[in-house]
Amino acid sequence: MIAKKVLLKFSKKAAGRPIICELSRKYDLTFNVMEAKISPKKEGLMILELIGTENAYNSGIEYLKENGVEISSIEDRVFRDDDLCYHCGYCLSVCPTDALIIDDRQTMKVSFYKDKCIACELCVKVCPTKAMKIRGLDGDLI
Amino acid sequence: MEFKVNKTIDEINEKIKRKEVVVVNAIEMIDIVRKHGCIEAAKKVDVVTTGTFGTMCSSGALINFWHTKPKIKASKVWFNDVEAYGGVAAVDCYLGATAVKEGDPLNSIHPGRFNYGGGHVIEDLIAGKKVLLRAEGYGTDCYPAKEFEKEITISDLRDATLLNPRNVYQNYSVAINTTDKTIYTYMGVLKPNISNATYSSAGELSPLFNDPFYRTIGIGTRIFLGGGIGYVIYQGTQHDPDVERNERGLPKSGAGTLAVAGDMKQMNTKYIKGASILGYGVSLSLGIGIPIPIINEEMAFFCGVSDEDIQAYIYDYGYDYPNKINKTYGLVTYKELRSGTIIIDGKEVPTTPLSSYYMALEIAEELKKWILDGKFYLTNPACLIGQSSDYEPLKYVKC
């Protein structure tokens, strides 16, 4: 079994169809919707955690692509510039998954766990020195 | 009352020169005082280094950009479209840390992002980056030019002095939000219905908790400022030595403050950074380290302070603070704050810091190295800052 988080981008056409439920019906994947939104242009963005066998995962991803959904990994989507981070803690109160957390109460250093990050980008908005950054779907910095 | 240990700053400087000085940081001092008592600790230790690193809005740069050809009496000045105050001499100006770049949407789409301002110009200058200087004057016989524009770097500036009217706040409020909406404040994002609490002091590492009655830190004290050498130049604005204090003489809310200055050309962007506070504005985050000479057992006692000794009041920033209502939601220690949760009205509330304890310790260590290497000597204050009426020698000392 594997569990992977992916960012899905739906075109206006794809956003209107019930695609996601087929992942469960046809491909035996369990999914957890971490975030979903539809832009004013009627395009959809969704962060999903997909859980299933590797085969099921690969077939599911293939199915999404066939249906015009752009897929990117959210691993590394949000990252930290360690030269800019001064471990203040502004981000800690907004991070919903404890991806940003103080583990060591002696040093009070702020740790960032990419695997827990769901790319909600709240830290990016809050970080006073803009140490938290986002890579766009094409890999460029936003 | 007489002290049993008496050391002068001159004697300590002699030890620095001979490389015999004993310097520890404020955390190391806690155990030394616990283990040996304050008299032995005072005999053993000469200097305790303290540090703080946080967003300090009352900061800015006093800049002289030197005469242009032809000369200008610059009454309006901008750096990268951030306006500086030009109402001083011809090519002098003051760039405030919280000045926002012209054309910023501010809070028109709330919460505003505040991407660039005075604090960022200060960081860019210190980083050696090119900055666009633009000036306007009305023209006089001696200063005929009416406009000037040039890309400059910090090395083109005649003087670039960091001049901060209020830094190093001795204690601060713990912030919560009792309303039913998320708010965006200088104390960070505060979630509705008291769902989180923020605080802003390095506690046991913070300079003025280690010298709570300002007995050694005074006008002229040499300090670590943004990675360079600076000085305490006066008490800071809002300096208030007479707030309520606990049994160790530590104030329970914002009390003493310091005005500081130093040469920006010596500074390092590791220790001084522009800050964008969501929904609030721009500011400057910077690091300050202050050495405390252990001139007697009283200073050893004070420098033995730990987070469990220090308390702060909780205030509501949702309704009370903006309406200037002085109502408290309880008193907590920095030990509790640092643990990650406090109890308010029987409810567990997560706490997060705004001031970097991690960097504060790094600065205290850096300053320690400077002193041990003989690169940094201590100064006798020319004059003490506003004193507390609570202070009497040895009144609070228990050891």
Side-chain angles (χ1 to χ4, degrees):
Chain A
M1 292 288 269
I2 56 167
K4 276 192 182 169
K5 289 186 205 116
V6 287
L7 174 75
L8 309 180
K9 195 175 168 192
F10 297 76
S11 63
K12 188 177 168 182
K13 204 172 135 203
R17 288 186 288 126
I19 293 170
I20 296 302
C21 70
E22 298 292 352
L23 292 174
S24 184
R25 285 169 41 161
K26 286 189 181 161
Y27 301 97
D28 200 22
L29 286 165
T30 309
F31 60 82
N32 182 15
V33 180
M34 308 187 97
E35 197 184 331
K37 57 188 170 195
I38 293 185
S39 76
K41 289 183 191 162
K42 304 266 167 70
E43 290 166 337
L45 271 178
M46 183 181 273
I47 295 170
L48 273 189
E49 184 176 31
L50 291 173
I51 305 151
T53 64
E54 189 148 7
N55 270 342
Y57 174 83
N58 291 336
S59 319
I61 292 290
E62 210 41 54
Y63 163 77
L64 290 172
K65 283 181 184 165
E66 281 164 11
N67 281 276
V69 180
E70 271 183 57
I71 299 157
S72 56
S73 163
I74 66 161
E75 189 109 323
D76 296 331
R77 186 166 148 77
V78 170
F79 66 102
R80 181 164 79 177
D81 182 337
D82 286 330
D83 288 338
L84 293 176
C85 174
Y86 70 90
H87 306 274
C88 60
Y90 274 83
C91 56
L92 299 170
S93 62
V94 296
C95 181
T97 59
D98 285 345
L100 287 154
I101 193 169
I102 294 176
D103 289 321
D104 181 351
R105 297 273 155 190
Q106 287 303 309
T107 66
M108 299 298 279
K109 190 173 183 174
V110 177
S111 302
F112 176 47
Y113 294 103
K114 284 193 286 192
D115 55 327
K116 285 190 178 171
C117 174
I118 56 163
C120 70
E121 301 170 18
L122 287 172
C123 56
V124 177
K125 291 193 182 113
V126 163
C127 178
T129 58
K130 304 182 189 81
M132 299 307 300
K133 297 186 186 300
I134 334 163
R135 275 189 195 93
L137 293 173
D138 47 8
D140 287 346
L141 280 183
I142 296 176
Chain B
M1 293 288 265
E2 278 189 10
F3 297 119
K4 294 193 174 70
V5 180
N6 289 282
K7 261 185 262 180
T8 67
I9 287 166
D10 292 342
E11 284 163 8
I12 295 172
N13 280 339
E14 266 306 307
K15 287 189 182 175
I16 296 176
K17 203 172 166 185
R18 294 198 305 265
K19 304 252 161 126
E20 289 166 9
V21 70
V22 178
V23 188
V24 300
N25 69 44
I27 295 174
E28 293 164 333
M29 188 63 172
I30 299 170
D31 283 339
I32 295 172
V33 173
R34 274 185 196 153
K35 205 166 156 192
H36 302 282
C38 52
I39 292 172
E40 284 309 306
K43 288 180 187 164
K44 250 178 162 44
V45 176
D46 300 310
V47 184
V48 170
T49 56
T50 64
T52 182
F53 195 114
T55 307
M56 308 194 202
C57 286
S58 192
S59 300
L62 185 61
I63 291 172
N64 178 298
F65 53 86
W66 198 227
H67 289 296
T68 56
K69 193 174 177 178
K71 287 184 177 174
I72 189 169
K73 180 177 182 295
S75 47
K76 285 188 166 243
V77 185
W78 295 263
F79 294 91
N80 283 350
D81 291 330
V82 181
E83 188 166 8
Y85 178 72
V88 272
V91 290
D92 280 334
C93 62
Y94 185 76
L95 175 68
T98 69
V100 182
K101 183 176 177 162
E102 293 202 336
D104 190 286
L106 306 173
N107 264 337
S108 54
I109 300 168
H110 188 262
R113 302 292 285 268
F114 298 96
N115 281 321
Y116 196 85
H120 301 92
V121 175
I122 291 171
E123 179 183 353
D124 283 347
L125 283 170
I126 293 169
K129 288 187 186 163
K130 281 186 183 157
V131 168
L132 183 69
L133 164 67
R134 195 156 57 82
E136 285 175 14
Y138 45 77
T140 72
D141 290 341
C142 43
Y143 294 105
K146 290 187 176 169
E147 280 176 341
F148 180 74
E149 193 173 305
K150 195 189 175 192
E151 272 197 336
I152 52 114
T153 68
I154 195 167
S155 56
D156 299 316
L157 298 174
R158 172 102 173 194
D159 304 280
T161 307
L162 195 73
L163 179 62
N164 301 350
R166 181 174 69 252
N167 283 176
V168 203
Y169 228 126
Q170 185 183 26
N171 213 349
Y172 214 83
S173 308
V174 178
I176 56 166
N177 172 16
T178 63
T179 71
D180 58 8
K181 286 196 180 82
T182 297
I183 57 169
Y184 301 86
T185 72
Y186 70 86
M187 292 297 281
V189 179
L190 296 169
K191 294 187 244 180
N193 307 314
I194 322 185
S195 302
N196 70 317
T198 59
Y199 64 100
S200 187
S201 171
E204 63 199 17
L205 271 164
S206 185
L208 294 180
F209 278 133
N210 286 273
D211 184 3
F213 290 101
Y214 337 112
R215 301 302 297 167
T216 66
I217 300 171
I219 297 169
T221 297
R222 184 178 291 135
I223 61 173
F224 172 108
L225 181 61
I229 283 178
Y231 293 87
V232 174
I233 55 167
Y234 202 61
Q235 64 194 36
T237 51
Q238 298 179 17
H239 177 69
D240 186 3
D242 281 328
V243 305
E244 183 191 354
R245 287 174 187 260
N246 70 12
E247 69 289 346
R248 274 189 72 111
L250 303 168
K252 297 180 184 175
S253 52
T257 67
L258 300 174
V260 302
D263 180 9
M264 280 165 57
K265 293 184 184 186
Q266 294 177 22
M267 293 179 190
N268 176 340
T269 54
K270 183 178 176 188
Y271 301 108
I272 180 163
K273 295 171 189 294
S276 300
I277 312 292
L278 186 66
Y280 173 73
V282 292
S283 190
L284 187 70
S285 296
L286 77 152
I288 296 181
I290 305 190
I292 306 204
I294 305 303
I295 51 175
N296 53 42
E297 65 271 30
E298 182 172 68
M299 290 317 299
F301 169 76
F302 286 144
C303 288
V305 66
S306 74
D307 278 346
E308 63 205 70
D309 305 319
I310 313 172
Q311 296 146 304
Y313 279 114
I314 304 163
Y315 291 100
D316 167 42
Y317 274 62
Y319 183 78
D320 292 352
Y321 182 88
N323 291 297
K324 217 181 171 196
I325 295 166
N326 196 21
K327 180 187 164 192
T328 168
Y329 283 79
L331 190 65
V332 285
T333 68
Y334 277 88
K335 188 179 177 185
E336 293 168 294
L337 288 166
R338 244 175 92 190
S339 76
T341 41
I342 54 173
I343 309 284
I344 302 173
D345 287 339
K347 179 182 162 187
E348 266 200 13
V349 179
T351 58
T352 52
L354 305 170
S355 172
S356 175
Y357 184 94
Y358 179 79
M359 284 301 290
L361 179 57
E362 187 170 319
I363 288 165
E365 276 297 295
E366 186 68 16
L367 181 55
K368 181 163 105 182
K369 250 185 256 157
W370 286 5
I371 297 170
L372 290 171
D373 289 349
K375 288 197 286 200
F376 186 104
Y377 286 84
L378 273 49
T379 48
N380 276 297
C383 185
L384 294 177
I385 59 171
Q387 295 287 292
S388 162
S389 55
D390 264 348
Y391 178 75
E392 283 164 36
L394 295 166
K395 176 177 166 185
Y396 290 95
V397 176
K398 292 170 206 80
C399 61

